[in-house]
Amino acid sequence: MSKFKLIEGDGFLAIEYHTEASATSALVVDSPRIPGGSIVDTTGKTEALGKWIEVRYQINPAALPLTGWIEAAFLGAAVVPGEPFVPAVDEGAFVAECVRFEASSQDDRTIGADYLIAWAWLESDLTDFKPHLHDKDAIGPFQISQKEWDQYLAADMNLSPGPDGRLSGYAQIDCAAWIGKRDVEEFVKGMATGEPPIENYVASLLNAFHCRLIGVPAAIQVQRIQTAKTVNPPMDTVLSPFFDAASLANLFTDRKRYLAKDPSGGFSAVDAFVNVTSAALADGMKKAFTLLKTHVPGFIPPIDDKTVSSAWMQAAEGELKAWTDGALIESSGDGRERVKKYFTAATNPHSPDEAWCGAFAAWCLQQAGEAVASSIIKEPEWAANWKNWGDLELRQRDWSGVPYGSVVVLAPADNTDSSGHVAFFRQTVPSGKIELLGGNQSNRVKTMVVERNKVVSIRWLSTLDVAPDSTDTTPIAGGVFDSSARDQIILARTLYGEARGESEKGKKAVAAVVINRATIGGWFGKTVEEVCLRRLQFSCWNANDPNRAIIKGKLPGKGDQLFDQCFDIAGRAVLGQLPDETGGATHFHADTMRRFPSWAKKATRTAHIGHHIFYRNV
């Protein structure tokens, strides 16, 4: 497409922007007029007489392009493209935009705000956006090339900021997140199909960083060498199958900081490469923590009750003592019986000969009572699933802020064929390491010390009562699911947090999703309160979501008409008097999301009401 500068004239301030090639057609609603002097892209379409031409216009490089028709007479001279460049970003705004990505993401959060900030800092120091790689086309905070940007635009997503979006450091954030998620998915698939095949591999942030530095196939090979721990070849030997000689030389120049640690000045060995990249990423993550704490302090909320873990850790410490005092191992009779006991807390029955770290964690939580047991994730036997446990991600903190008993998800240990590991945080130890207590650690329940680069996620369970002012749980006459006044106020606050900007119909639709989930029951929850507060389901209740502080104190009759409307709708919902216009939907997401969540592809779309798209996913 060619770019043109629109004619600037004395007799007009802006050019009308029509939906069709006609002065009588409707104007493009979002931007009905384009200022004179603006730059537009032509789409190649003109009407029969050539008096009208279709163009695409962006308010700024990060905005969604809008397509419409203008009179051809306003099309001025062609714009000769200069060298692309990315303007400086405001550090605080950049960090906040990284947080926005993570807060709005409904998929795996391996690529989170902290990693995105660390990646940008390592590539560009968040200030130097000129090209640094041999591909001089790669620019910006993440050094994204035009080819990568085009791949991002071609992906199956709802919105994109158009071809010029790459020239915005803020717009690059979403693209970088997409690249990181894509690379991790390809990495996990590669680990599952190689030798030996490892299903449900838990990729670490270091794996993601390696994918960016040397490509996914080479990153997989580095991980397999690290896993086996039998050889330590030079990196050029590892990389040669994936790069021709010229490309390998360019890679060495581009990534000399990480690849050239051999005393001779040549390629370093695999172990040295891993050590250097691990140290660099650790520095980047520390920087990210500082920036998050400085610019978006609310994103790292305080822990409301650090004693909540005492119940499950009492069970874990008791098992540790039993295994230690009895010198048990999983192959012994007593050891096998204990492992079988742990699997009673798992979703699927497993053999004691299989990995059981997740089953042990689930069993310990189960001993803490019904409230904690209800937090256990689906299929806890898989370590990867624990990345979604609880409602707080603590990876953004330094170790001193991690409470005793937090759930820590790790990438697989070296010299094992496991897919990952989960254990409980016990304490920090010197040299920046942490001690964990878990099952299936050297075939027993024991403690172990791990490096920071193995940590994929650290999860915590908030216990803050979201409705301490509403304690009446007496069932309402005629209410569904034994709903009470407490259920009504929690549902009303949920509607306010998720849909206060929607029409009455839109609010009713969100309420219908809650009722549909409670009707199905099971993992969704069997009451309105349980459904609304199910962790990581309604984002307004996430501990680091700003909405939570707004909604938790809302009451009817206090002058907020929107909340009064939500309370009324909630009242009708808990009495079973609300018609369902969603077609039985159990899920929804905003239609403005830049990237639809992965679950939407597998679900049945049932309705589009207001700014929400509804699905049935059962």
Side-chain angles (χ1 to χ4, degrees), residues 390-466:
D391 58 358
L392 273 181
E393 173 60 61
L394 305 184
R395 191 178 67 197
Q396 304 99 335
R397 299 167 184 260
D398 57 19
W399 291 148
S400 64
V402 177
Y404 172 68
S406 300
V407 169
V408 180
V409 181
L410 303 176
D414 295 338
N415 203 24
T416 72
D417 60 358
S418 66
S419 63
H421 188 63
V422 60
F424 297 116
F425 178 87
R426 204 170 189 227
Q427 62 182 342
T428 59
V429 295
S431 304
K433 300 178 183 179
I434 57 174
E435 182 186 70
L436 303 178
L437 191 170
N440 204 25
Q441 296 183 168
S442 300
N443 301 323
R444 53 177 61 87
V445 173
K446 64 185 294 288
T447 62
M448 70 175 184
V449 174
V450 299
E451 301 275 357
R452 179 184 290 268
N453 67 15
K454 288 296 183 183
V455 174
V456 175
S457 183
I458 305 177
R459 303 294 299 178
W460 182 251
L461 182 66
S462 173
T463 60
L464 188 65
D465 186 354
V466 301

Side-chain angles (χ1 to χ4, degrees), residues 48-59:
L49 299 177
K51 293 184 178 180
W52 291 81
I53 186 166
E54 190 181 52
V55 300
R56 300 187 333 145
Y57 170 61
Q58 285 180 269
I59 298 171

Side-chain angles (χ1 to χ4, degrees), residues 18-242:
H18 293 263
T19 57
E20 303 292 341
S22 165
T24 59
S25 70
L27 299 179
V28 176
V29 175
D30 297 273
S31 183
R33 293 174 177 80
I34 308 177
S38 298
I39 306 298
V40 298
D41 294 319
T42 58
T43 67
K45 294 182 181 179
T46 58
E47 53 85 47
L49 299 177
K51 293 184 178 180
W52 291 81
I53 186 166
E54 190 181 52
V55 300
R56 300 187 333 145
Y57 170 61
Q58 285 180 269
I59 298 171
N60 59 63
L64 178 71
L66 299 168
T67 301
W69 293 80
I70 64 170
E71 293 181 70
F74 289 118
L75 202 65
V79 175
V80 179
E83 288 293 324
F85 77 98
V86 177
V89 298
D90 176 81
E91 183 181 84
F94 183 88
V95 171
E97 186 65 10
C98 289
V99 167
R100 180 212 57 79
F101 162 78
E102 180 172 328
S104 64
S105 175
Q106 297 189 38
D107 286 322
D108 186 298
R109 289 173 170 80
T110 299
I111 307 300
D114 52 353
Y115 178 70
L116 289 170
I117 296 166
W119 174 3
W121 183 72
L122 290 168
E123 286 282 32
S124 66
D125 199 34
L126 286 177
T127 57
D128 187 2
F129 296 163
K130 66 179 182 295
H132 299 301
L133 309 177
H134 75 277
D135 180 0
K136 298 305 181 183
D137 183 50
I139 55 176
F142 298 97
Q143 294 291 285
I144 291 174
S145 68
Q146 186 64 54
K147 179 181 178 181
E148 291 173 323
W149 188 260
D150 290 342
Q151 291 170 338
Y152 162 66
L153 295 186
D156 182 18
M157 294 182 292
N158 179 39
L159 301 175
S160 67
D164 288 340
R166 187 174 71 103
L167 306 183
S168 164
Y170 305 109
Q172 280 201 7
I173 293 170
D174 195 72
C175 178
W178 175 81
I179 290 171
K181 185 174 184 292
R182 176 201 65 183
D183 288 353
V184 166
E185 288 177 348
E186 291 178 3
F187 181 92
V188 170
K189 289 177 183 177
M191 294 299 291
T193 56
E195 287 296 332
I198 303 177
E199 297 286 343
N200 293 300
Y201 188 92
V202 180
S204 68
L205 291 178
L206 187 60
N207 293 142
F209 190 42
H210 287 171
C211 289
R212 184 58 180 169
L213 295 178
I214 60 177
V216 176
I220 292 172
Q221 187 61 20
V222 165
Q223 182 56 54
R224 290 197 175 278
I225 292 169
Q226 284 285 290
T227 297
K229 282 293 185 184
T230 56
V231 294
N232 185 30
M235 282 297 294
D236 54 338
T237 301
V238 176
L239 296 168
S240 293
F242 311 109

Side-chain angles (χ1 to χ4, degrees), residues 250-469:
N250 286 332
L251 181 64
F252 183 80
T253 301
D254 287 345
R255 303 304 186 185
K256 197 169 184 177
R257 171 184 176 184
Y258 307 109
L259 290 170
K261 293 301 178 182
D262 187 81
S264 68
F267 279 92
S268 56
V270 168
D271 283 353
F273 170 74
V274 171
N275 289 338
V276 170
T277 51
S278 177
L281 183 57
D283 286 343
M285 296 297 280
K286 289 177 184 176
K287 178 67 174 180
F289 169 72
T290 300
L291 293 177
L292 283 167
K293 188 169 61 173
T294 301
H295 297 296
V296 195
F299 183 64
I300 306 178
I303 303 297
D304 58 284
D305 181 8
K306 291 187 178 182
T307 66
V308 66
S309 62
S310 60
W312 67 75
M313 288 306 291
Q314 182 178 0
E317 296 282 3
E319 291 301 298
L320 172 64
K321 186 176 188 304
W323 283 75
T324 303
D325 292 351
L328 305 180
I329 58 173
E330 67 177 23
S331 59
S332 67
D334 288 345
R336 291 179 68 84
E337 288 305 310
R338 285 187 176 273
V339 173
K340 287 180 182 178
K341 175 181 69 174
Y342 304 147
F343 272 113
T344 62
T347 304
N348 301 307
H350 276 237
S351 162
D353 297 320
E354 298 181 69
W356 47 278
C357 60
F360 174 77
W363 183 86
C364 292
L365 291 173
Q366 197 176 66
Q367 309 316 300
E370 184 178 352
V372 172
S374 67
S375 72
I376 298 173
I377 40 85
K378 290 181 181 179
E379 299 186 323
E381 53 271 23
W382 290 109
N385 292 340
W386 286 92
K387 290 188 290 182
N388 291 322
W389 178 77
D391 58 358
L392 273 181
E393 173 60 61
L394 305 184
R395 191 178 67 197
Q396 304 99 335
R397 299 167 184 260
D398 57 19
W399 291 148
S400 64
V402 177
Y404 172 68
S406 300
V407 169
V408 180
V409 181
L410 303 176
D414 295 338
N415 203 24
T416 72
D417 60 358
S418 66
S419 63
H421 188 63
V422 60
F424 297 116
F425 178 87
R426 204 170 189 227
Q427 62 182 342
T428 59
V429 295
S431 304
K433 300 178 183 179
I434 57 174
E435 182 186 70
L436 303 178
L437 191 170
N440 204 25
Q441 296 183 168
S442 300
N443 301 323
R444 53 177 61 87
V445 173
K446 64 185 294 288
T447 62
M448 70 175 184
V449 174
V450 299
E451 301 275 357
R452 179 184 290 268
N453 67 15
K454 288 296 183 183
V455 174
V456 175
S457 183
I458 305 177
R459 303 294 299 178
W460 182 251
L461 182 66
S462 173
T463 60
L464 188 65
D465 186 354
V466 301
D469 52 345

